[in-house]
Amino acid sequence: MVTLDTVQQSNGLLASLPQAQGLVAVFIGATSGIGQSALEHFARSTTAPHIYSTARAKTVASHDEFLETLRQENPTGTYTLLTADASLVSDIDHAVDVVLENETKVDLLFMSPGFFAFEGRIDTKEGLDPSMSTRYYSRLRAVQRLLPLLNAAPSPRVVSVLAAGEETPLNEADLDLRDLQNWSMWNASRHACTMGTLALEYIARLNPHLSIVHAHPGAVATPGLARSNTFGLNPPNPMSQDEAGQRAVFNSTNDRYAVQPGLVPVPEGLEVVPKSAGGIFLVGPLGEIKDSEAVLGPMRARGLDETVWNFTLDIFSTCAEKA
């Protein structure tokens, strides 16, 4: 477990460390909740960051106001708003194009979009379940396309906030749950989580310089949780959104979750956590390691990680054709 005091001390070092100046960070899903809190704390803690953040058309105005507060609080940084709906792979492509045109490296890709589809499956114009595309397809598309810039950074990191440790067996005959008999809100959630871990592991093995964190924040008092509570979830003792954001920055910058040292040194009394057998860091709400090897190991042994990734590439091609 990592205490909040330790998190705050680590984050407090960011502004003074030469290697943490001028960091380039891309945030997807930061218009509210954990992502917004993480963006806020990252912007406040760093010196001269280049920050890119996506927002859907209907949240652009409010998110731009939020970014303006960050410009006032840390005028050393640059803050670029990218209009993109995270449920659409093609929108993520357009957003990434801007980053590719303007940067030579990306130090951090932070992804946290997603929602529970309580109303059922209502496909996007790309033919995908939006609850799965926000939590899986669009995230992996951003990773795939930003790999050249991530690999150009001295200590790059990808952080995907979802449900590490909750992986379950997949419906291998229907990975995107297109058959409505296979789809349910929970099945979509579990598929996105498990496919995400397998695909990120596959990418990690091909890009050994890249540190990848799949984080499970637990219950957090966000607008998303408030909506879920109206449908009867009501988890006890949720963490505050502010604390979750601080912990997200720690996961994104401390060497405890790094393939190789490069940003903030591991705090005294802690150590680098072991990676999953597939090569990524599975992290729980308090910074502890999560273990899903009993589920992931047999799937990896059968090559299901590669199968998932190849299936995902086909989805990307279809989305590009429709765009």
Side-chain angles (χ1 to χ4, degrees):
M1 184 186 82
V2 182
T3 67
L4 183 57
D5 282 346
T6 299
V7 166
Q8 292 170 339
Q9 290 170 16
S10 174
N11 294 349
L13 294 173
L14 280 166
S16 61
L17 293 173
Q19 66 268 30
Q21 297 188 16
L23 295 176
V24 180
V26 179
F27 286 81
I28 299 175
T31 55
S32 67
I34 297 170
Q36 185 181 70
S37 182
L39 170 54
E40 180 177 6
H41 284 287
F42 183 86
R44 287 176 174 174
S45 301
T46 51
T47 300
H50 295 205
I51 294 175
Y52 295 83
S53 182
T54 64
R56 290 175 295 165
K58 70 178 184 179
T59 61
V60 160
S62 60
H63 195 53
D64 194 38
E65 290 179 5
F66 170 71
L67 293 180
E68 184 56 34
T69 66
L70 300 183
R71 294 184 184 101
Q72 299 299 319
E73 293 179 12
N74 183 1
T76 69
T78 60
Y79 308 85
T80 303
L81 193 156
L82 306 170
T83 302
D85 184 338
S87 71
L88 297 173
V89 173
S90 56
D91 270 24
I92 294 300
D93 274 344
H94 294 318
V96 168
D97 284 342
V98 176
V99 182
L100 293 172
E101 290 168 4
N102 289 279
E103 301 293 343
T104 58
K105 64 160 185 164
V106 168
D107 299 283
L108 171 65
L109 171 59
F110 186 96
M111 305 175 292
S112 58
F115 64 97
F116 285 115
F118 292 106
E119 295 84 1
R121 176 167 179 157
I122 305 172
D123 283 2
T124 67
K125 63 184 181 181
E126 294 176 333
L128 300 175
D129 166 21
S131 75
M132 289 185 67
S133 57
T134 51
R135 289 182 287 190
Y136 176 67
Y137 296 113
S138 289
R139 297 188 190 205
L140 270 296
R141 182 59 163 177
V143 176
Q144 179 206 28
R145 295 208 56 219
L146 286 172
L147 277 173
L149 297 192
L150 286 162
N151 282 322
S155 184
R157 194 167 310 183
V158 169
V159 177
S160 183
V161 179
L162 195 56
E166 301 298 324
E167 291 81 3
T168 60
L170 294 171
N171 185 330
E172 298 177 32
D174 188 12
L175 288 174
D176 62 349
L177 303 178
R178 189 158 302 280
D179 186 339
L180 291 181
Q181 294 185 14
N182 297 328
W183 188 95
S184 71
M185 181 189 75
W186 290 114
N187 284 348
S189 301
R190 295 182 184 112
H191 259 233
C193 168
T194 307
M195 290 170 67
T197 296
L198 289 172
L200 289 172
E201 288 184 338
Y202 187 79
I203 290 171
R205 292 195 294 277
L206 295 178
N207 298 271
H209 178 61
L210 179 62
S211 302
I212 300 180
V213 176
H214 179 185
H216 188 335
V220 178
T222 63
L225 181 64
R227 175 178 179 271
S228 297
N229 287 344
T230 66
F231 288 89
L233 289 189
N234 297 302
N237 304 315
M239 182 184 293
S240 73
Q241 179 174 300
D242 186 71
E243 178 177 346
Q246 293 182 67
R247 290 185 176 278
V249 172
F250 180 81
N251 293 344
S252 301
T253 58
N254 195 274
D255 287 345
R256 178 171 163 82
Y257 312 107
V259 171
Q260 57 190 24
L263 282 177
V264 184
V266 179
E268 185 176 351
L270 296 177
E271 58 186 16
V272 176
V273 299
K275 295 180 292 184
S276 70
I280 69 174
F281 299 95
L282 300 176
V283 180
L286 300 180
E288 74 279 16
I289 185 172
K290 303 286 283 185
D291 183 9
S292 289
E293 194 57 24
V295 174
L296 296 171
M299 290 194 286
R300 254 190 255 109
R302 293 189 292 107
L304 189 55
D305 52 350
E306 185 172 5
T307 298
V308 165
W309 184 237
N310 287 334
F311 171 82
T312 305
L313 292 178
D314 288 341
I315 292 289
F316 292 162
S317 295
T318 300
C319 291
E321 291 171 3
K322 290 184 178 180

